[in-house]
């Protein structure tokens, strides 16, 4: 047990913070959920239900001005991420900001510069790299468990059309499927292989200024890649790494326990399938614990800003190269 837990504050009473990240901070070893900033006291009540000693601030600035708060989690709408990450760093706080941390790759420069200038930890909340299933898959690929990797496919979809007020359905808040969930199908391939795409092609179906469906095709140095994301389709998620001597399939790669049990299938010659299960791991909690170890002990953080910048660079290329679908 870490003797000196990191005091955390949350900027905004977002649904995602209420359901997942605030409970994860509260439960994580080495962390203490100490503050929540919201102008609506009723929105704080569900947080206080599981964290009764939580201090509620009526503004983001009021929380940032408290020297007792050491780290902040930022679940604000996408277009506000850079602004409030920089403000938090200027206030002397470590920052864990929801993905996408920036809207374009150029916005990473001030974030990285401010991180280096302050010596504070700043990172995107890209939680999947903390999950043991992804570390397991990365090792399988490195160990040539499926031979030479030939092709990667990815899919992530859900249907939010009925929720018209959802920030994912609004162009002015940086909505759309690509920024919200495209980071997973793109970033996971980069994380597992350590490679970057040399060529990117894409097609997008636009709806009221947001990408409702995005298809991506890419060439990496050693393999080809295809994926799609959608906020207008039946819920589905899957990642497949296909080699010349086997195949790896992740059945709940991005929302394990919510979408289903995390399982890694290793398909071998002769139609043999070896299944490794990860029924209990909470990647949100693991993310907070890794962040706290970096803050307190100087441990290397598994997902630095440079990695997130690489994913954003691919997203920018997808948007720039996209053919419009009817």
């Amino acid at each position: 047990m870490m003797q000196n837990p990191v005091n955390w504050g949350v900027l905004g009473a977002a649904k995602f913070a209420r359901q997942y990240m605030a409970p994860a901070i509260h439960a994580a070893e080495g962390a203490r959920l100490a503050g929540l900033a919201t102008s609506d006291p009723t929105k704080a009540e569900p947080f206080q239900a599981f964290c009764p000693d939580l201090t509620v601030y009526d503004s983001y600035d009021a929380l940032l001005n408290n020297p007792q708060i050491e780290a902040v989690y930022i679940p604000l709408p996408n277009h506000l991420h850079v602004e409030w990450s920089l403000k938090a760093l200027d206030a002397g706080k470590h920052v864990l900001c929801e993905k996408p941390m920036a809207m374009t790759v150029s916005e990473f420069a001030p974030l990285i510069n401010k991180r280096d200038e302050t010596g504070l930890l700043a990172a995107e909340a890209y939680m999947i790299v903390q999950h043991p299933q992804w570390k397991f898959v990365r090792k399988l690929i490195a160990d040539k468990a499926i031979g030479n990797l030939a092709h990667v496919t990815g899919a992530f979809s859900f249907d939010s059309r009925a929720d018209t007020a959802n920030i994912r359905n609004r162009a002015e808040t940086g909505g759309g499927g690509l920024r919200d969930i495209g980071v997973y199908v793109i970033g996971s391939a980069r994380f597992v292989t350590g490679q970057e795409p040399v060529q990117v092609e894409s097609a997008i179906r636009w709806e009221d200024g947001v990408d409702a469906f995005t298809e991506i095709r890419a060439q990496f140095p050693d393999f080809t890649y295809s994926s799609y994301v959608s906020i207008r389709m039946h819920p589905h998620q899957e990642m497949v790494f296909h080699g010349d001597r086997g195949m790896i399939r992740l059945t709940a790669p991005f929302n394990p326990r919510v979408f289903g049990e995390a399982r890694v299938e290793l398909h071998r010659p002769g139609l043999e399938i070896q299944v490794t299960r990860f029924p209990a791991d909470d990647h949100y909690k693991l993310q907070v614990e890794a962040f706290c170890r970096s803050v307190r002990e100087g441990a290397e953080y598994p997902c630095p800003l440079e990695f997130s910048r690489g994913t954003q660079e691919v997203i920018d290329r997808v948007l720039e190269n996209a053919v419009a679908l009817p």
Side-chain angles (χ1 to χ4, degrees):
M1 179 73 177
M2 193 177 293
Q3 297 300 313
N4 185 19
V6 177
N7 286 322
W8 283 79
V10 178
L11 296 189
K15 178 182 178 182
F16 188 82
R18 182 180 74 243
Q19 290 185 331
Y20 298 108
M21 277 302 297
I25 294 170
H26 184 58
E29 181 178 341
R32 175 176 173 263
L33 181 58
L36 171 69
T38 176
S39 58
D40 184 350
T42 62
K43 290 185 177 180
E45 292 174 0
F47 292 81
Q48 293 170 311
F50 64 82
C51 186
D53 61 345
L54 184 71
T55 299
V56 179
Y57 301 82
D58 62 6
S59 71
Y60 303 155
D61 287 318
L63 184 148
L64 294 180
N65 287 335
N66 186 341
Q68 300 302 313
I69 298 293
E70 301 171 87
V72 295
Y73 167 65
I74 302 176
L76 300 173
N78 295 344
H79 68 299
L80 299 175
H81 287 177
V82 172
E83 175 188 354
W84 283 98
S85 292
L86 291 173
K87 286 181 178 180
L89 289 167
D90 277 330
K93 316 301 181 188
H94 303 282
V95 171
L96 183 64
C97 179
E98 261 312 317
K99 49 76 198 162
M101 194 158 188
M103 295 288 287
T104 65
V105 72
S106 63
E107 291 184 325
F108 273 91
L111 290 168
I112 291 172
N113 290 340
K114 185 64 68 175
R115 176 202 65 186
D116 294 345
E117 172 192 320
T118 60
L120 297 164
L121 176 57
E124 182 180 62
Y126 193 64
M127 74 293 181
I128 68 167
V129 300
Q130 316 289 348
H131 199 287
Q133 71 170 337
W134 280 106
K135 297 174 183 180
F136 178 61
V137 170
R138 183 165 64 170
K139 188 174 189 306
L140 288 176
I141 296 294
D143 291 346
K144 299 283 189 178
I146 59 171
N148 295 313
L149 181 62
H151 187 72
V152 176
T153 60
F156 197 178
S157 64
F158 60 88
D159 191 347
S160 67
R161 79 187 76 203
D163 188 3
T164 56
N166 193 310
I167 59 173
R168 295 167 183 81
N169 290 322
R170 295 164 53 194
E172 66 272 19
T173 56
L178 185 60
R179 288 190 173 100
D180 185 48
I181 54 179
V183 294
Y184 296 119
V185 296
I186 295 168
S188 60
R190 296 178 57 247
F191 176 74
V192 165
T193 66
Q195 296 188 26
E196 304 292 346
V198 294
Q199 181 180 343
V200 176
E201 299 176 348
S202 56
I204 296 178
R205 180 174 297 114
W206 297 96
E207 183 179 303
D208 297 326
V210 300
D211 57 293
F213 173 87
T214 299
E215 181 183 17
I216 306 167
R217 298 173 301 281
Q219 176 69 57
F220 284 72
D222 296 334
F223 61 92
T224 52
Y225 168 94
S226 61
S227 67
Y228 67 86
V229 296
S230 176
I231 56 174
R232 295 293 183 270
M233 294 171 66
H234 180 77
H236 175 63
Q237 54 184 260
E238 181 180 51
M239 288 293 296
V240 175
F241 297 82
H242 202 149
D244 58 5
R245 290 191 289 110
M247 185 180 79
I248 298 166
R249 175 175 176 259
L250 293 90
T251 61
F254 311 126
N255 296 120
R257 300 200 308 168
V258 175
F259 190 76
E261 182 185 58
R263 301 197 312 272
V264 176
E265 299 175 355
L266 177 57
H267 296 241
R268 293 184 178 276
L271 300 181
E272 176 192 356
I273 303 176
Q274 297 179 0
V275 180
T276 304
R277 291 176 164 84
F278 302 84
D281 297 282
D282 182 345
H283 51 192
Y284 301 115
K285 179 173 173 284
L286 293 171
Q287 174 178 241
V288 174
E289 291 175 344
F291 194 96
C292 291
R293 285 194 298 272
S294 294
V295 168
R296 284 288 184 258
E297 303 167 8
E300 181 179 357
Y301 191 66
C303 188
L305 288 180
E306 286 79 2
F307 176 85
S308 299
R309 179 180 61 188
T311 297
Q312 186 62 53
E313 183 176 359
V314 180
I315 290 175
D316 286 1
R317 291 167 68 183
V318 169
L319 291 169
E320 290 166 4
N321 299 336
V323 173
L325 293 171

